Amino acid sequence: MRTRRPGRAKERRAEASLEDRIRAGLRRGDLDEVRDRLLARSLPEQVALLERLAPADRAVVYRLLPRGRAFEVFTRLDAPLQRELLEALQEEEVRGVVDDLDPDDRVRLLDELPATVARRLLAGLTPQEQDATGLVMGYPTGSVGRLMSPELVVLDAAATAAQARDTVRSRLETAETVYMLPVVTAGRLTGVVGLRRLLAADDDVPVAALAREPVAVDARVPAEEAARLCAREKLVALPVVDGDRRPVGVFTFDDALDVLEAAEDEDVARSGGAEPLGRPYLSTPVRAVYRARIVWLLVLGVGATLTVRVLEAFEATLEQMVVLSVFIPLLIGTGGNTGNQAATTVTRALALGDVRVRDGARVALRELRTGALLGASLGTAGLVGVGLLYGWDVGVVIGLTLLVVCSLAATVGGLMPVLARALRVDPAVFSNPFITTFVDASGLVVYFLVAAAVLGL
């Protein structure tokens, strides 16, 4: 039984109450009241409020925030909401926001804007900011280089601890992070040193003696792969290097968390037969929700015609023993659930690196054995239950069908994500909807073939 966190319902009511009062204040034109209520809330509450407001109201409320807090709120919004907000602000306000963003955050925003607007905003940046932004934008979309911050502190291996500390102090205002510091020899990454270790070292100790073996990633590596490496190694930040092992940026743990969260949202959406929204649900236009779902429904609708064709092919068998039709939902539902369980487990294992493409045969064997055990258990229950109510001959049909269907569904469900990875396709796309469609059709074929053999139809 799931335990509710005490006070959570009260928090939700409070959020709803704030939203209603803000909207009421906007309708009355009482901006002083709206500002007072807004500033009395924490940063996460202010972000959540803006996410739920309509675009026009969001722009009005955003303007009521002090400059420093407004910037903090802006950086926490999803990129589509940032774009909508910028479209509603005056050009001077837009330039102020874009100038203050870090290069990686600025690139994410510019990717959302029309090309003409993006070019105009880039032209208004200082040459230094243009160079930093251009460096990030030069890497492929979806790569870690596109999400890294080029504002990093690099230490020379030959420097002393005292010199290195002076270098860090001089860059405190501009560096993305100083808790993990890349160490270079002749410009190439040879190690990393933590800030704690650097502060504790004697002044004359060389940085090379403090450094440890680096865990780094090439700038062209997919961002999700880099994020999982960061999580697996429990790193505060991950150095990003070019093809010559020269540090070009740093990928921090908060960006890694954002990437993993987005990947999980994408997998969940696609496993349910939809495209990810990429923004909070209540702020997503109905047309966008429609577009996210309609394509997959059409694809799955076409796939479902396989089930209809199977039923047509075995129509004579059903006419001879109508009771068989009663158990069709049970059998295809059980097969679909079994396949989805296997697919979800293997997709997760692929994402974590526990399973690789070369492990396909092992995955198939494990899922076949697991499916057979599940089928034997469910088949035994079906044999006894159905046999007592409808006769033992029908019970044998149901029991054997469940055994075969569960074994088949688990094996196919486990192999589909591995096959998708081998084809360089998102495993979630090959997951639940397609597996359900396949298992429905194949399960019915198995069912009618078993019935024909056992009942002599």
Side-chain angles (χ1 to χ4, degrees):
M1 180 177 177
R2 186 177 177 181
T3 304
R4 281 190 174 181
R5 195 181 72 176
R8 183 58 184 160
K10 185 176 180 181
E11 290 177 13
R12 285 196 294 268
R13 287 195 297 271
E15 291 173 4
S17 176
L18 172 64
E19 185 181 344
D20 293 340
R21 290 174 179 173
I22 292 292
R23 286 200 175 103
L26 291 173
R27 285 195 299 270
R28 293 193 305 270
D30 192 348
L31 297 185
D32 289 335
E33 180 192 354
V34 173
R35 181 187 294 106
D36 292 341
R37 291 189 182 280
L38 184 64
L39 297 183
R41 298 290 175 154
S42 65
L43 176 60
E45 289 174 311
Q46 292 168 348
V47 173
L49 172 66
L50 286 177
E51 288 177 340
R52 298 172 66 89
L53 291 175
D57 290 343
R58 187 183 301 128
V60 173
V61 172
Y62 180 80
R63 284 190 173 99
L64 298 177
L65 292 168
R67 178 178 172 82
R69 176 53 64 91
F71 177 71
E72 291 181 283
V73 169
F74 186 87
T75 58
R76 294 198 178 198
L77 293 174
D78 292 328
L81 294 186
Q82 291 180 338
R83 172 179 53 79
E84 288 182 358
L85 188 55
L86 290 187
E87 290 172 351
L89 296 176
Q90 298 175 2
E91 185 160 343
E92 184 178 344
E93 294 172 303
V94 170
R95 290 191 181 278
V97 170
V98 174
D99 288 347
D100 290 340
L101 288 173
D102 290 331
D104 53 328
D105 294 327
R106 188 183 298 130
V107 167
R108 255 175 287 193
L109 173 60
L110 293 175
D111 284 340
E112 285 286 328
L113 296 173
T116 54
V117 177
R119 284 195 295 269
R120 190 167 68 247
L121 291 175
L122 274 173
L125 298 175
T126 64
Q128 183 179 358
E129 290 293 344
Q130 286 182 5
D131 291 342
T133 305
L135 172 65
V136 176
M137 293 188 75
Y139 290 103
T141 301
S143 68
V144 67
R146 196 81 170 193
L147 300 180
M148 71 178 184
S149 171
E151 298 174 326
L152 74 163
V153 180
V154 178
L155 303 180
D156 193 306
T160 65
Q163 292 170 330
R165 288 193 288 265
D166 289 340
T167 301
V168 173
R169 290 191 192 97
S170 68
R171 295 290 309 282
L172 281 177
E173 295 300 322
T174 58
E176 175 74 12
T177 181
V178 294
Y179 297 106
M180 183 285 304
L181 300 162
V183 177
V184 298
T185 302
R188 288 178 171 79
L189 182 70
T190 55
V192 294
V193 61
L195 181 62
R196 180 194 295 268
R197 186 172 175 82
L198 180 63
L199 292 176
D202 293 334
D203 289 349
D204 57 350
V205 174
V207 170
L210 303 174
R212 57 179 173 81
E213 190 71 22
V215 177
V217 65
D218 188 275
R220 292 171 179 78
V221 165
E224 185 177 348
E225 182 180 330
R228 297 208 178 278
L229 174 62
C230 192
R232 186 167 61 249
E233 299 293 335
K234 298 179 173 57
L235 300 175
V236 174
L238 184 65
V240 181
V241 298
D242 61 14
D244 294 325
R245 293 284 293 179
R246 298 178 185 277
V248 292
V250 61
F251 185 55
T252 55
F253 75 95
D254 54 331
D255 288 331
L257 288 176
D258 289 341
V259 170
L260 294 178
E261 182 180 358
E264 183 178 359
D265 290 345
E266 184 176 284
D267 289 346
V268 170
R270 287 180 173 168
S271 67
E275 285 296 314
L277 298 178
R279 56 189 293 166
Y281 171 76
L282 290 177
S283 66
T284 304
V286 172
R287 287 174 298 178
V289 178
Y290 164 80
R291 288 195 300 269
R293 298 179 183 178
I294 186 61
V295 174
W296 288 107
L297 287 177
L298 291 173
V299 171
L300 296 175
V302 172
T305 58
L306 289 173
T307 304
V308 176
R309 299 289 296 180
V310 172
L311 288 173
E312 289 178 350
F314 288 94
E315 187 176 358
T317 304
L318 281 174
E319 288 177 352
Q320 294 180 57
M321 200 164 187
V322 179
V323 71
L324 294 177
S325 63
V326 174
F327 300 102
I328 290 177
L330 167 68
L331 296 173
I332 63 176
T334 301
N337 290 336
T338 303
N340 291 340
Q341 287 179 335
T344 300
T345 302
V346 175
T347 298
R348 181 65 176 166
L350 282 168
L352 295 176
D354 295 338
V355 170
R356 293 175 173 81
V357 173
R358 64 174 179 266
D359 298 321
R362 295 176 61 190
V363 170
L365 181 59
R366 287 177 65 85
E367 290 300 332
L368 176 61
R369 293 166 58 192
T370 303
L373 289 173
L374 293 170
S377 301
L378 295 173
T380 301
L383 169 63
V384 175
V386 175
L388 291 173
L389 295 174
Y390 295 93
W392 293 106
D393 53 350
V394 179
V396 170
V397 172
I398 299 303
L400 288 175
T401 302
L402 283 171
L403 173 62
V404 176
V405 166
C406 286
S407 302
L408 176 65
T411 305
V412 172
L415 276 177
M416 280 287 190
V418 178
L419 176 62
R421 179 59 61 85
L423 297 175
R424 300 184 182 278
V425 178
D426 187 346
V429 174
F430 271 63
S431 194
N432 300 0
F434 288 98
I435 290 169
T436 299
T437 301
F438 172 81
V439 171
D440 285 354
S442 60
L444 286 176
V445 172
V446 170
Y447 181 37
F448 290 124
L449 290 177
V450 171
V454 174
L455 302 176
L457 300 177

